Amino acid sequence: TGVIRTALHNMDREAREHYSVVIQAKDMAGQVGGLSGSTTVNITLTDVNDNPPRFPQKHYQLYVPESAQVGSAVGKIKANDADTGSNADMKYTIINGDGSGVFSISTDKETREGILSLRKPLNYEKKKSYTLNIEGANTHLDFRFSHLGPFKDVTMLKVIVGDVDEPPLFTMPSYVMEVYENAKIGTPVGTVTAHDPDAANSLVRYFIDHNTEEDRYFTIDASTGTIKTAKIFDREETPWYNITVAASEIDNPGLVSHVPVGVRILDVNDNPPELARDYDVIVCENAKPGQVIQTITATDKDNSANGARFHFSLDEGLSLNPNFTLRNNEDNTASILTRRRRYSRSTQDIYYLPVLISDGGVPPLSSSSTLTIRVCACERDGRVRTCHAEAFLSSAGLSTGALIAILLCIVILLAIVVLFITLRRSKKEPLIISEEDVRENVVTYDDEGGGEEDTEAFDITALRNPSAAEELKYRRDVRPEVKPLSRHHPSSSLDSIDVQEFIKQRLAEADLDPSVPPYDSLQTYAYEGHRSEAGSISSLDSATTHSDQDYNYLGDWGPEFKKLAELYGEIEPERTT
């Protein structure tokens, strides 16, 4: 075997990391005539922590504006280490200096840099610079090379604070003020104070941010910062208000700072006490004198400092009540007691007891309430059996089930009456006849006639006899109030008159008839005039006869008769292609 050994003492990876060695092997113990072979061996030196970290400079300087935010990174610093991997890992710390409480430093493991951060806000007007001693030390030490140490280095960092035009600074981070309710508008509540922290010390202007409705309840003096009321407050309605006051420099209005202000509304005894609830007081008919029938309490909208102590009494302006009395229990409650034995519902079933309640506020307030006491029948153990309303029903002999049955019968009878009226209205014949039926009577026949030549199937003399139309037809939609005039005429005159003259006569009669309504109506006459000399216009037998009549004049009548002209004339219909 061949063993490769180092030929130099204290080989340094940082000086040379890679070596290439050619190895030759010969047989026959290396004698002449033997065969040989060679190979190349690449040797890499591994790293050990034998190089301490070193800062490139012993003094550094950093500029940080006073407006830098707390927690933000303000600078970086790095110490160099010739080693690699974990042997180059290090940790940065601030070992001393006047800025150790203002700044902090952390290590970026990837870049092995120290990140300097701000722990407290800077103020140029108070301190313009800080000095920090920063140490960088290896975290993985190899004690074989401790004699090469120490494996750390220290540098000095001077931080210069930059002056920035800052917004006004309030003397307190928040304010709490108090004002009594019912105070007049314009009453001072308190004052806020702010100043310009810069060396210029510019004047400050105050105003209220009107972002909410509560901000409109107060005003502020722009010069002094005094807050005043803008309305009359009621503590029982709103006991607390929160507003935001802003301050800005007059020379630079864009720099604005804000502060929260809380206003507590103090209580004034302005609400009289009242009963805690509506009491339903019951006294039994068999009650004994001095028996407690009810314990009452009171409430007050004011706080405990103005009226927590209540005093109960009967109205002294009234005469002594012979039925009931009141005892003040001195614990904000009172008891109602009976003053006599036995009460009768038949004699009096309801009693009224006025109660006067006063508080212990300054000034004291009082109110009067009236208790309603009902007389009821009770068992011997005091349980209520029945009161006046239920006793009245029992005396009448009607139970709850009987009342329900009576009410049910009444509802059924009402339903029958409504149904009967509805059916009668639905069967009533309408006064106005259908618009489609314009004649007095419509009779439908399923028999087909024999045509215009058939004169035997139907007697048309009735149509040609004007006397058949003399029968008076009354309108169905109007009831005549005046008797119509007589329309009888000699039959000889009607037989010789034509249709036009006949219609004119009937029209004149209708106009002079006082029974005819003053609106348009349809007059129907069963009368047919004499036969026309032109003959029938029927086309039933036109298919079998030839007509020499010229219908070409229909084409001159316009587009409305175009189709008729095509059917009877010689005009060729237009064709579209």
Side-chain angles (χ1 to χ4, degrees):
T1 61
V3 177
I4 301 175
R5 292 183 174 86
T6 58
L8 300 177
H9 182 66
N10 293 330
M11 300 181 69
D12 190 2
R13 185 199 65 83
E14 287 73 27
R16 184 176 180 179
E17 184 177 3
H18 301 286
Y19 294 87
S20 296
V21 178
V22 178
I23 306 296
Q24 185 182 46
K26 293 183 178 181
D27 57 6
M28 295 180 62
Q31 297 180 6
V32 178
L35 300 177
S36 64
S38 62
T39 184
T40 300
V41 178
N42 295 321
I43 301 174
T44 301
L45 297 182
T46 58
D47 183 56
V48 295
N49 190 9
D50 57 348
N51 293 281
R54 292 291 181 264
F55 286 101
Q57 301 174 209
K58 289 300 181 181
H59 298 278
Y60 291 90
Q61 186 171 309
L62 179 64
Y63 174 84
V64 179
E66 64 175 337
S67 60
Q69 298 295 324
V70 174
S72 62
V74 295
K76 297 180 181 180
I77 193 170
K78 184 177 182 180
N80 297 327
D81 193 331
D83 298 320
T84 61
S86 61
N87 295 321
D89 292 342
M90 66 183 67
K91 180 181 179 181
Y92 298 90
T93 56
I94 300 175
I95 56 177
N96 54 37
D98 57 357
S100 58
V102 180
F103 298 91
S104 64
I105 193 169
S106 59
T107 304
D108 189 338
K109 294 183 179 180
E110 294 183 359
T111 62
R112 297 186 176 91
E113 293 177 330
I115 309 300
L116 191 66
S117 302
L118 188 63
R119 296 178 60 184
K120 294 181 179 180
L122 301 176
N123 191 337
Y124 174 82
E125 288 71 27
K126 291 184 178 180
K127 192 172 181 60
K128 295 179 175 57
S129 64
Y130 295 89
T131 300
L132 303 175
N133 291 326
I134 300 177
E135 179 186 78
N138 287 138
T139 57
H140 300 87
L141 300 179
D142 192 341
F143 295 102
R144 294 175 300 172
F145 307 99
S146 59
H147 62 282
L148 301 176
F151 287 84
K152 59 184 178 181
D153 196 14
V154 179
T155 187
M156 186 179 69
L157 175 63
K158 183 177 182 180
V159 180
I160 299 175
V161 179
D163 186 20
V164 178
D165 192 4
E166 300 175 279
L169 181 65
F170 285 95
T171 56
M172 297 177 62
S174 62
Y175 293 85
V176 176
M177 303 177 183
E178 296 177 343
V179 65
Y180 281 98
E181 64 175 334
N182 301 327
K184 296 181 179 180
I185 296 176
T187 301
V189 180
T191 302
V192 297
T193 305
H195 67 279
D196 183 9
D198 299 321
N201 195 18
S202 301
L203 295 178
V204 177
R205 172 181 170 271
Y206 303 94
F207 59 94
I208 296 177
D209 279 348
H210 295 290
N211 296 327
T212 61
E213 187 65 25
E214 293 183 356
D215 296 330
R216 304 182 185 276
Y217 296 160
F218 301 90
T219 60
I220 189 170
D221 190 294
S223 301
T224 63
T226 301
I227 300 175
K228 299 180 180 180
T229 60
K231 63 165 290 185
I232 299 177
F233 299 99
D234 185 2
R235 189 202 67 87
E236 288 72 34
E237 180 181 349
T238 305
W240 188 276
Y241 292 90
N242 294 309
I243 62 176
T244 301
V245 177
S248 64
E249 297 180 8
I250 295 179
D251 298 336
N252 190 358
L255 295 176
V256 181
S257 57
H258 301 81
V259 66
V261 178
V263 181
R264 180 187 296 109
I265 308 301
L266 301 179
D267 185 47
V268 174
N269 191 26
D270 57 348
N271 292 280
E274 56 187 14
L275 290 176
R277 59 183 177 88
D278 294 333
Y279 290 94
D280 184 17
V281 186
I282 295 175
V283 60
C284 295
E285 289 183 320
N286 55 359
K288 299 178 180 179
Q291 180 178 343
V292 177
I293 60 175
Q294 182 70 52
T295 299
I296 60 176
T297 60
T299 59
D300 195 330
K301 294 181 180 179
D302 298 318
N303 60 19
S304 58
N306 290 297
R309 184 86 173 174
F310 301 115
H311 178 76
F312 300 86
S313 63
L314 297 179
D315 194 346
E316 297 179 356
L318 301 177
S319 58
L320 182 65
N321 193 315
N323 301 306
F324 303 96
T325 186
L326 182 143
R327 182 180 64 197
N328 187 21
N329 298 328
E330 301 296 336
D331 59 352
N332 294 332
T333 64
S335 300
I336 307 300
L337 298 86
T338 58
R339 299 194 64 173
R340 63 183 179 88
R341 183 187 303 274
R342 296 200 174 275
Y343 297 84
S344 175
R345 288 175 295 162
S346 59
T347 303
Q348 185 175 353
D349 57 347
I350 294 179
Y351 293 88
Y352 298 99
L353 182 65
V355 177
L356 186 65
I357 310 172
S358 60
D359 58 21
V362 179
L365 298 178
S366 62
S367 66
S368 178
S369 301
T370 302
L371 294 176
T372 301
I373 304 175
R374 294 188 300 155
V375 180
C376 297
C378 302
E379 303 290 346
R380 291 186 177 181
D381 55 0
R383 291 181 300 173
V384 177
R385 185 175 67 227
T386 181
C387 291
H388 173 69
E390 297 176 355
F392 175 77
L393 295 177
S394 300
S395 61
L398 297 178
S399 62
T400 304
L403 288 176
I404 295 175
I406 293 173
L407 292 176
L408 184 60
C409 293
I410 294 174
V411 171
I412 294 175
L413 289 176
L414 290 176
I416 294 174
V417 171
V418 171
L419 180 61
F420 178 74
I421 295 174
T422 303
L423 292 177
R424 289 201 58 181
R425 288 183 178 180
S426 62
K427 292 183 178 181
K428 187 175 181 180
E429 185 177 0
L431 294 175
I432 305 300
I433 59 176
S434 174
E435 294 181 357
E436 298 179 358
D437 187 8
V438 298
R439 296 174 295 174
E440 294 288 340
N441 295 289
V442 178
V443 181
T444 303
Y445 299 96
D446 294 335
D447 298 335
E448 183 179 359
E452 61 182 2
E453 299 298 332
D454 187 3
T455 59
E456 297 180 358
F458 181 73
D459 187 6
I460 63 174
T461 56
L463 296 177
R464 295 181 177 177
N465 185 11
S467 60
E470 292 304 309
E471 182 181 357
L472 181 61
K473 307 297 185 191
Y474 292 99
R475 293 175 59 89
R476 301 178 62 185
D477 55 344
V478 176
R479 176 177 296 179
E481 299 179 356
V482 183
K483 186 176 180 180
L485 299 176
S486 177
R487 298 185 181 180
H488 295 285
H489 297 279
S491 59
S492 60
S493 62
L494 290 176
D495 292 339
S496 60
I497 198 170
D498 59 356
V499 174
Q500 182 178 4
E501 189 66 25
F502 174 78
I503 293 177
K504 287 181 178 180
Q505 293 182 6
R506 291 296 185 264
L507 179 60
E509 293 176 0
D511 291 340
L512 299 176
D513 192 351
S515 63
V516 177
Y519 51 78
D520 296 341
S521 61
L522 179 64
Q523 301 289 339
T524 304
Y525 305 105
Y527 177 76
E528 182 179 357
H530 297 286
R531 183 179 180 88
S532 175
E533 298 298 334
S536 175
I537 61 173
S538 174
S539 60
L540 295 178
D541 56 350
S542 60
T544 56
T545 60
H546 179 72
S547 175
D548 296 334
Q549 186 174 353
D550 185 9
Y551 295 100
N552 292 330
Y553 64 89
L554 295 177
D556 300 333
W557 288 7
E560 292 83 357
F561 297 92
K562 182 178 180 181
K563 188 65 177 179
L564 190 62
E566 292 176 358
L567 294 176
Y568 289 91
E570 298 180 357
I571 300 176
E572 291 294 333
E574 296 180 0
R575 299 182 180 270
T576 59
T577 59

